Amino acid sequence: MIQSVLVANRGEIARRIFATCRRAGIGTVAVFSDADALSPHVTEADAAVRLPGNSPADTYLRGDLVIEAALLAGADAIHPGYGFLSENAEFARAVHDAGLTWIGPPAPAIEMMGSKVESKKLMAAAGVPVLAELDPDAVTEADLPVLVKASAGGGGRGMRVVRELADLPEQLEGARREAQSAFGDPTVFCERYLETGRHIEVQVMADWHGTVWAVGERECSIQRRHQKVVEEAPSPLVEAVPGMRERLFEAARLAAKAIDYEGAGTVEFLATGRADTDGGDFFFLEMNTRLQVEHPVTECTTGLDLVDLQLQVASGLALDADSPAVSGHSIEVRLYAEDPAQNWQPQSGPVHRLALPGSAVEFDVLRTPGIRLDSGVVDGSTVGVHYDPMLAKVISFAPTRTQAATRLATALGRAQIHGLRTNRDLLVNVLRHPAFLAGDTDTAFFDTHGLDVLAQPLASAATERLSALAAALADAAHNRDVATVDSTLPSGWRNLASAPQCKTFTGTGGDVEIRYLLTRYGLKAEGFDDVSLVSATARHVALDVAGLRRSFEVSRYGDDVFVDSALGPVSLHAAPRFTDPSAVVAEGSLLAPMPGSVIRVGAAVGDPVTAGQPIVWLEAMKMEHTIKAPASGVLTELSVTVGTQVDVGTVLAVVEAAHAEGES
């Protein structure tokens, strides 16, 4: 039996696997890059081994270093998690050659599924329905739209939708760069793009003795940049279409048996149809020869610990003849440090606080209705630029789909998420959307219902103003607490009537100016005639609003203020009283939206440029980001070259806008 497991991964997935190992009495070993030296997964392991460097290529993708770490720490098995080396057949062989147990499928199975091009041919031969592959050099207008995909890897890297034939060469080039960077293989191919397809996948589990389970299906149709955002089990489409589940399960078992599969894996399909129509056709996309990010929803609806099953299968134990029954409904959302309203721009920086209301289960199967949190960060963690910006997976389980969605939306809406901008508001809006609740989800969900609408803040403009008032009153209470002179006097106290206290915050809708006086008769705040103060401390403010008492939790980190209430979460920035001249940048400046590395520049100083023309390409968090000219004019300054590392807010270039004739 396995005694000690090294997890060749980081963050949330490493912590998830460690949790099962601890419950099973198995020792744990972590590996970490320099950027992850203080990561929670490092401190939670029994032992940890440093992989020098920061980039994945220097650390988590170095199979030789990972195996050396396992031998050094005395581990007898390696679990790859997902991503990085999890679908690397050469690494799986090297683990075996080192005398260690590989907690994953056989290397030949990984190899056969490693190429999306070859795997489709294999699946077609096995009787699994597939979408025909298109040669990128032979795509015609009649084939459009097409999807460019990396042959190796997944997660949306190296994937582009092309609707105009003229755009194909540029998109192919970009996809190849991303694929090379993420997977070390620039091979890409094309296939017909189904605008409103449904992403359905089947969890399989197979042992060494010939038993193959189709454990259950998941639907992962709501995606951004071809990366899943909301996942659920069971699928509302499959539930609605008679006989579809049986056909899916049979196809998944055929796929697993065709490659003599062992362990946990996922067979992914693209399906057609709606929950309120017959439909139900599906096509093989790929097989992920590893554990999936969204595995918790299958765990919650089956009662299985899939990681524990992986350990058992790797130890040679046999599965029962039949897989367990599915009951209830589970929904998972991926909480990302990103700004959906700004083209899903990833964020980096500190996570001051991440807390869900009530008592959420961490890294364990929900056997009764509730909320589960699988996270790679804790309070005080920092999200860097080297890895994916996912903060956590939040999972609900309930008897019905509507209950699971309601429970999850409420937990997210009431969560304290302080620090980075996240996609939290978008997730809650999706979970509460009538189309989602009706099961009408597909891969075009954001386009259909409007990303601008779905990304709207949970808190209204009125709530933001009320929260700013609470923040101002909490700040005044804090000032009283730390005052060294006359600390018992009310904030802003004068012998005679004076001008009101004034505090300005920047919120989602712009600047919010709060002007108030604390008098012997109570609070007098301009624009808040129906609001009276009940109590105020540095952390908690209670206000009476038109006869309703409202409570606000106020947290301040430097100039950043976070106000949490039942009305919705509000993020504010306390504006400085005076402008710092050094913070002013020239008009037409192109600023780095995130830390990253410059991988390409598209113009030189003195070149004429047009509005929207790409000027600089940044690579950050495993994705390319294009910085475009804000207006037509002349590039008067270029501060970076290829390879330059930049911080957020760095001036990359300056475009001097062209003036209309006769304008001075």
Side-chain angles (χ1 to χ4, degrees):
M1 294 296 291
I2 294 169
Q3 300 297 316
S4 178
V5 174
L6 180 144
V7 178
N9 221 289
R10 63 178 297 278
E12 168 264 325
I13 186 57
R15 297 185 75 199
R16 163 68 190 92
I17 296 165
F18 289 162
T20 288
C21 289
R22 283 194 297 270
R23 289 192 289 266
I26 296 173
T28 56
V29 179
V31 287
F32 64 94
S33 67
D34 292 338
D36 278 339
L38 300 178
S39 173
H41 85 272
V42 177
T43 58
E44 289 176 359
D46 297 331
V49 181
R50 174 180 174 245
L51 304 177
N54 288 318
S55 72
D58 294 332
T59 55
Y60 299 108
L61 289 173
R62 286 286 302 274
D64 56 337
L65 297 182
V66 171
I67 291 172
E68 286 177 14
L71 297 173
L72 174 67
D76 57 353
I78 290 181
H79 193 305
Y82 51 76
F84 296 132
L85 295 167
S86 62
E87 294 178 284
N88 187 309
E90 290 183 10
F91 179 60
R93 288 193 180 94
V95 170
H96 281 297
D97 292 344
L100 302 170
T101 297
W102 168 249
I103 304 173
I110 299 174
E111 221 155 37
M112 284 185 275
M113 292 294 101
S115 166
K116 292 184 177 66
V117 174
E118 296 305 316
S119 66
K120 284 194 170 190
K121 296 176 182 176
L122 185 62
M123 291 299 101
V128 179
V130 301
L131 274 175
E133 175 203 345
L134 301 173
D135 181 348
D137 296 327
V139 172
T140 67
E141 289 281 356
D143 297 318
L144 298 176
V146 297
L147 184 63
V148 180
K149 299 179 73 172
S151 183
R157 274 73 182 182
M159 195 176 290
R160 311 288 180 93
V161 177
V162 179
R163 293 183 171 85
E164 299 290 337
L165 201 58
D167 296 336
L168 184 59
E170 181 182 350
Q171 296 300 327
L172 285 169
E173 182 184 352
R176 288 179 178 125
R177 283 197 305 269
E178 278 189 359
Q180 176 64 44
S181 175
F183 315 119
D185 182 351
T187 306
V188 299
F189 68 99
C190 296
E191 66 185 19
R192 181 164 58 97
Y193 180 60
L194 300 182
E195 293 278 7
T196 56
R198 311 252 315 213
H199 190 118
I200 313 292
E201 59 190 35
V202 179
Q203 175 72 56
V204 296
M205 182 68 70
D207 62 20
W208 298 1
H209 311 284
T211 300
V212 179
W213 284 356
V215 184
E217 89 280 350
R218 300 184 285 257
E219 179 156 350
C220 314
S221 297
I222 298 182
Q223 303 178 6
R224 61 99 166 102
R225 288 178 170 170
H226 313 291
Q227 194 168 34
K228 302 160 190 173
V229 178
V230 182
E231 300 115 340
E232 58 181 311
S235 159
L237 175 65
V238 176
E239 289 273 273
V241 179
M244 186 176 180
R245 178 169 290 118
E246 289 74 17
R247 291 187 290 119
L248 272 171
F249 283 11
E250 178 60 21
R253 283 190 290 262
L254 282 174
K257 290 176 180 178
I259 58 174
D260 296 323
Y261 199 77
E262 296 167 7
T266 300
V267 186
E268 302 196 355
F269 300 94
L270 193 63
T272 61
R274 294 161 51 98
D276 57 355
T277 63
D278 292 333
D281 291 334
F282 56 85
F283 306 93
F284 173 83
L285 282 177
E286 60 186 357
M287 183 174 184
N288 293 130
T289 53
R290 53 171 168 81
L291 199 65
Q292 290 278 90
V293 179
E294 57 272 20
H295 74 274
V297 296
T298 297
E299 293 186 322
C300 292
T301 51
T302 61
L304 296 172
D305 182 331
L306 292 178
V307 175
D308 190 55
L309 281 175
Q310 285 185 297
L311 296 172
Q312 292 183 40
V313 168
S315 299
L317 299 179
L319 297 172
D320 292 337
D322 298 315
S323 59
V326 172
S327 65
H329 201 97
S330 182
I331 303 175
E332 171 184 298
V333 294
R334 302 189 193 186
L335 182 67
Y336 282 99
E338 65 183 10
D339 187 352
Q342 298 298 319
N343 196 29
W344 310 101
Q345 192 177 97
Q347 310 288 296
S348 61
V351 179
H352 301 302
R353 182 162 173 76
L354 174 58
L356 296 174
S359 53
V361 169
E362 291 190 85
F363 303 110
D364 200 1
V365 180
L366 288 169
R367 292 175 172 83
T368 58
I371 296 293
R372 167 175 166 175
L373 175 68
D374 286 15
S375 178
V377 302
V378 295
D379 294 357
S381 292
T382 297
V383 176
V385 299
H386 302 288
Y387 315 111
D388 188 272
M390 188 176 77
L391 300 179
K393 302 180 318 196
V394 188
I395 306 107
S396 66
F397 174 63
T400 70
R401 185 173 184 271
T402 299
Q403 289 172 325
T406 301
R407 187 182 291 267
L408 185 54
T410 299
L412 282 168
R414 297 291 183 91
Q416 292 185 329
I417 305 172
H418 301 163
L420 300 171
R421 186 182 297 277
T422 73
N423 65 339
R424 180 254 297 273
D425 292 4
L426 172 94
L427 296 174
V428 175
N429 288 331
V430 168
L431 291 167
R432 291 174 174 167
H433 197 281
F436 178 83
L437 294 173
D440 187 11
T441 59
D442 56 43
T443 53
F445 191 89
F446 292 130
D447 293 332
T448 301
H449 301 290
L451 180 60
D452 55 339
V453 175
L454 293 169
Q456 285 293 313
L458 295 177
S460 65
T463 294
E464 186 171 89
R465 289 193 71 248
L466 196 60
S467 298
L469 174 61
L473 295 170
D475 187 50
H478 168 73
N479 292 338
R480 290 297 86 204
D481 291 342
V482 300
T484 57
V485 178
D486 293 334
S487 61
T488 59
L489 293 179
S491 175
W493 182 86
R494 299 289 188 275
N495 281 324
L496 301 173
S498 181
Q501 296 282 87
C502 183
K503 296 183 187 295
T504 301
F505 300 93
T506 301
T508 304
D511 287 347
V512 181
E513 186 179 70
I514 301 298
R515 298 171 64 84
Y516 72 95
L517 280 171
L518 292 174
T519 72
R520 68 183 66 188
Y521 305 108
L523 173 69
K524 293 179 63 177
E526 295 182 11
F528 297 94
D529 296 338
D530 58 351
V531 177
S532 59
L533 175 63
V534 178
S535 63
T537 67
R539 291 295 308 274
H540 179 84
V541 174
L543 299 173
D544 187 295
V545 184
L548 293 175
R549 183 167 296 189
R550 298 287 189 183
S551 295
F552 302 84
E553 293 292 331
V554 182
S555 303
R556 183 160 181 166
Y557 311 90
D559 291 331
D560 293 324
V561 186
F562 298 87
V563 185
D564 296 292
S565 74
L567 296 173
V570 171
S571 173
L572 301 166
H573 183 79
R577 294 183 64 188
F578 305 103
T579 301
D580 181 356
S582 66
V584 179
V585 297
E587 184 178 352
S589 295
L590 282 68
L591 306 181
M594 70 208 75
S597 175
V598 176
I599 60 172
R600 187 179 170 195
V601 293
V605 173
D607 285 354
V609 297
T610 57
Q613 177 181 332
I615 304 297
V616 177
W617 284 258
L618 285 181
E619 184 177 62
M621 299 181 179
K622 301 192 289 186
M623 298 290 284
E624 277 191 20
H625 306 274
T626 306
I627 316 302
K628 301 177 180 180
S632 297
V634 176
L635 189 67
T636 59
E637 183 180 330
L638 183 64
S639 310
V640 296
T641 58
V642 174
T644 301
Q645 297 289 326
V646 298
D647 292 324
V648 62
T650 298
V651 177
L652 306 174
V654 178
V655 174
E656 184 176 312
H659 296 293
E661 188 174 343
E663 189 178 331
S664 60

